[in-house]
Amino acid sequence: MTAAVSEARAARTPAAGERPLVALVGRPNSGKSSLFNRLTGGSARVGNFPGITVDILTADVRLPGGAVATIADLPGLYSIGSVVDPATDEGVARRFLDSTGEGGRPRVVVQVLDATQLALGLRLTRELVQQGIAPLVVATQRDVLEGEGRGIDLGALERAIGLPVLLVSARDQAARGAVLDAIASRLDALAAAPAPPTAPPTAPPTAPPTAPPTAASWDPDEVARAAYVEAPRRDAAAERRRTFTARADALLLHPAIGPVLFLGLMALLFSAVFLVATPASEALDATLGRLGVVISGALGGGLLASFVVDGLLGGAGTVLTFMPQIVILTVAMELLEASGYLARGAFLVDRLLQLMGLSGRAFLPLLMGHACAVPAVHATRILRDPRERLTAILVVPLMACSARIPTYALLLTTFFADHGPLVQALLFVALYVAGIFSGLVASLVLRRTATRGRSLPMVLEMPAYRSPEPQLVVRQAAQVAWRFAREVGTVILAVSAVLWVLLTVPMPGAAPPEKPAAAAEARAAQTEATETGAAETEATETGAVEAQAPAPSPLESSIAGAVGRALEPVTAPLGFDWRINVGLIGSFGAREVMVGTMGVIFGIEDAEDEPAPLAEQIREARRPDGARAYTTRTGLALLAFFVLACQCMSTVAAIQRETKTWRWPAFVIAYTYAAAYVVALIVYQGSGLLGIP
């Protein structure tokens, strides 16, 4: 580039608000995201474009000559000629391309296509030209072509399609300079071209100064055949790659062996979340616990310390304990996607998931839902059909996540201890099966009601097996973790503060809470009286207990306690009293909090670590008339309720993050709680009719 050209470009450098916009478009697996990372150096952020609900990554880059342009990585799309739903990836990209930009800023469209599948990419090129968009074509996978002893006649290709074409490898650092220089040249041409008297309504100002093409009569297959060039000899490494791909697909896509291997790999991934993420989560939780002790000591205890430690820090801890799972999931997905195996796994399970109104790509999010619904909701981004993705998001909370395990263990220990370990194990398995079955039913219903509509066909390309680039995988995981902590964490902190108020602040007009020591003595005395009281003095003792009833506990006198008592008429048909209601309110912060909340109510310290005393207290709890407060029917109803109810504010926050609205999180809460109430009611009343105590 000459000094004169450089000076001319620098003189025309626009202000920050007028920075040129460069849109990267291309089919999935075309190398578009790899090129975006190469051009931007990993400095991507989520762009703020009005009316766009799908995340579009953007980054500012400095072009040759000093100008700064904004590069946007649009969603992958197969076609723009037949788009009818603006919510699809194709629809979002089409709306983005049709818009004139903010303030009429200059725009350049760069189409990225896979040079090893030239005909497929040229179909999209022809559609762009037919829409009045003249893109700069960048063909990737140059290294793969050269390794296979092939090449592209760029001159013949450019003459055939009438557009400039670059052939690069996104793995090569030199690709950055070549592409940015071509973008700068296109912007120079736009700046030098006279403004047309009128602009077509559907043609953004991306065409070169000459008359832009409005139609394309060339055939992509013929053009691709004309532009392939075979080298005199083939690379031995390329032949080995071809042989490896053929042999691997013969095994991995085998109708009998392939699904078993895929399920085994997914089980390994599922185990990795527990084996790797759990210790990291526990270490983070322990660190936050020590930090809470320091903060509490510095603030001198009291409500302020409780609010900061239990409310805000507890909410932040909820976010951070999910972070290892988010990172592991992102790394695993990037590795599977970049290696080319994820598309093959989706093909293997597609027919089975069609019964649920989903496709094979939904298998991974549903599987991850059994570890944690939060990363599973994020994993639904691999689904290109917006209705299918929304269905998966709405169904994921029904999967039996790991946070349900402490509550399941408490309830099984409490109500089924006399039935032996075999019955408890069978019930535990049944709970997982119930989650999967409820997800199946919910998916079928949703696809015919809330998410009904024409589904996009599942289009899969079997990409070549490739070695993922570690730096890109790590960079993607870091970006996802930061966005999750920043956006979901704010919602969780807000809900945590509200829950702290409900569980801590006394209800106006309530009796003052008793002191912890007095509470423990009163409960011990009441338990001893219950165990040793004689039948002839029962009425007298009951009257004495009522006359000398201890003051209410802090939870009982809190706002949550008052709400729990107010809900008793509604939950009584399920066998729930105010204590269970308060436990359900507290467990909305996180399902496993149910155990700790019930431990506080019954005065059991370390209930999460030692559930046996709590289980005994729950079994021995009595109503004012002396009858048992909780029975086996209560345990069955509570298990049924926990299988269906979305008792997790982190999941709600993740759904809001992914759908960009509070409508669908509210819908999830409404339909899961309604289903949980109805099923728990049927279980409690039906078991009574069957003679179950």
Side-chain angles (χ1 to χ4, degrees), residues 566-592:
L567 290 175
E568 275 191 331
V570 179
T571 60
L574 281 61
F576 301 170
D577 66 353
W578 74 269
R579 288 172 286 200
I580 291 182
N581 294 340
V582 173
L584 294 177
I585 294 173
S587 65
F588 181 74
R591 292 182 176 97
E592 62 271 24

Side-chain angles (χ1 to χ4, degrees), residues 500-561:
W500 179 89
V501 171
L502 294 177
L503 295 169
T504 307
V505 176
M507 188 71 177
E514 61 184 338
K515 297 193 177 294
E521 294 175 1
R523 291 189 183 92
Q526 186 173 357
T527 301
E528 182 178 356
T530 302
E531 293 175 350
T532 61
E536 59 270 19
T537 61
E538 180 178 355
T540 304
E541 292 177 356
T542 301
V545 170
E546 291 177 353
Q548 303 177 3
S553 65
L555 268 177
E556 186 177 354
S557 61
S558 67
I559 298 176

